[in-house]
Amino acid sequence: MTAVVGAGVDALLGDAALVAAGSRQVGAVTGRLRVGVDLGTATCVLVVLEVDDGGVERPVRVAAHPSGALRDGVVVDFAKATATVRMLKAAAEEALGIELIGAATAYPPCIPVRDARACTYVCESAGFSDVTLVDEVSAAQATLGVTDGVVVDVGGGSTGVGVFRDGVLTRLDDRPGGGHHLDLMVAGALGIALEAAEPYKRAHPREAFPILVPGLQRIAENVRALTVGDEDLPLHLAGGALMITGAGDVLADYLERTVVTYPHALLITPVGIARCAP
């Protein structure tokens, strides 16, 4: 069974999506700012939240740029990653009329510490002087606020899984496999270039869906392996890789578990990273 829940989460993500699309005027920025940098496997996303005196957050900047500087959560092109973050930072500062000092960034669970720290160094090299580092599942949880459930963050290169009971993270792990691998399936099946697979998947979801089912089931198997003993908990899907009509149903049917989906799921982790910022 699939469900769409969380009116507060939906509103925050919907607001962020409007800002990203340029469909909402931000106006003057007067509150404290929190900045999140989601380096991503294929795309880097920068989110700026304004926090008023009452602690209420509103997105004031959401921007993305193709990067390709990471592979499976590991920085493989430091210069390119730095240049991308620096460009997004400068554009945000010009748009908001304020210098951005601190930021948070994230890494996939369970990668080596030295690789995780590389994400911090990228942001520091791009001009942020105070950088907080958080794993991607905890960042997604900062948006979703799951009390009892499993947060499944499907990124470009890997799937991170965090088990929460009474709001406390009790298990955290990840497995290779994500949006990049789904794109490989589409490109191989249709004989098209890899860079054309993602646009095709979005423009022709009905045609792409049957091709993707085995890949979705592989992701489901990874989730099964990482949640043995926690089968009673619902799965909460984050990340843009599974923003395909019917993807949640595939996981729900295959695992015989409740799966919770969210509109604008690709923004869950970037917004959560910003919420973790100093």
Side-chain angles (χ1 to χ4, degrees), residues 104-117:
T105 191
Y107 61 94
C110 305
I111 68 170
V113 172
R114 66 180 180 277
D115 292 326
R117 287 176 178 168

Side-chain angles (χ1 to χ4, degrees), residues 182 185 209-219 250:
L182 296 177
M185 296 178 67
F209 184 73
I211 301 171
L212 296 171
V213 169
L216 296 172
Q217 291 174 339
R218 177 187 173 187
I219 290 172
V250 171

Side-chain angles (χ1 to χ4, degrees), residues 64 151 188 196 201 209 232 253 266:
V151 174
K201 188 170 63 178
F209 184 73
D232 59 306
D253 293 342
L266 77 169

Side-chain angles (χ1 to χ4, degrees), residues 107-112 135 172-174:
Y107 61 94
C110 305
I111 68 170
D135 72 84
L172 178 65
D173 209 335
D174 67 354

Side-chain angles (χ1 to χ4, degrees), residues 1-273:
M1 177 181 70
T2 58
V4 179
V5 300
V9 173
D10 188 13
L12 177 62
L13 296 176
D15 203 15
L18 289 174
V19 173
S23 302
R24 202 204 73 184
Q25 296 298 317
V26 171
V29 176
T30 58
R32 183 165 58 92
L33 299 181
R34 289 178 176 156
V35 182
V37 178
D38 186 355
L39 294 172
T41 298
T43 305
C44 181
V45 182
L46 183 142
V47 173
V48 183
L49 302 177
E50 182 186 29
V51 188
D52 67 18
D53 293 337
V56 177
E57 298 168 328
R58 71 173 181 123
V60 294
R61 180 76 177 180
V62 180
H65 188 78
S67 173
L70 274 73
R71 184 173 299 124
D72 295 336
V74 177
V75 178
V76 295
D77 191 333
F78 188 90
K80 187 175 183 180
T82 299
T84 300
V85 175
R86 184 182 293 118
M87 181 272 294
L88 289 171
K89 178 178 184 290
E93 290 174 334
E94 181 178 0
L96 299 175
I98 189 170
E99 183 180 6
L100 303 177
I101 306 298
T105 191
Y107 61 94
C110 305
I111 68 170
V113 172
R114 66 180 180 277
D115 292 326
R117 287 176 178 168
C119 298
T120 301
Y121 301 150
V122 165
C123 292
E124 290 175 342
S125 297
F128 289 106
S129 59
D130 184 9
V131 181
T132 297
L133 187 62
V134 62
D135 72 84
E136 291 172 348
V137 170
S138 295
Q141 167 68 352
T143 298
L144 300 179
V146 173
T147 301
D148 293 288
V150 178
V151 174
V152 180
D153 183 20
V154 185
S158 64
T159 297
V161 175
V163 177
F164 292 86
R165 290 192 181 273
D166 296 324
V168 177
L169 180 64
T170 61
R171 295 174 64 181
L172 178 65
D173 209 335
D174 67 354
R175 290 283 178 91
H180 176 68
H181 303 86
L182 296 177
D183 288 346
L184 285 171
M185 296 178 67
V186 172
L190 299 179
I192 61 177
L194 179 58
E195 57 269 20
E198 182 68 20
Y200 180 90
K201 188 170 63 178
R202 301 301 177 193
H204 306 281
R206 289 187 179 181
E207 292 82 357
F209 184 73
I211 301 171
L212 296 171
V213 169
L216 296 172
Q217 291 174 339
R218 177 187 173 187
I219 290 172
E221 275 297 335
N222 288 338
V223 174
R224 187 201 303 276
L226 297 178
T227 58
V228 174
D230 295 299
E231 292 86 355
D232 59 306
L233 298 175
L235 308 177
H236 296 257
L237 302 186
L242 293 189
M243 284 188 61
I244 308 159
T245 301
D249 291 328
V250 171
L251 269 67
D253 293 342
Y254 191 83
L255 296 173
E256 298 182 338
R257 296 174 68 168
T258 297
V259 172
V260 184
T261 61
Y262 299 85
H264 313 297
L266 77 169
L267 294 175
I268 290 174
T269 300
V271 169
I273 295 172

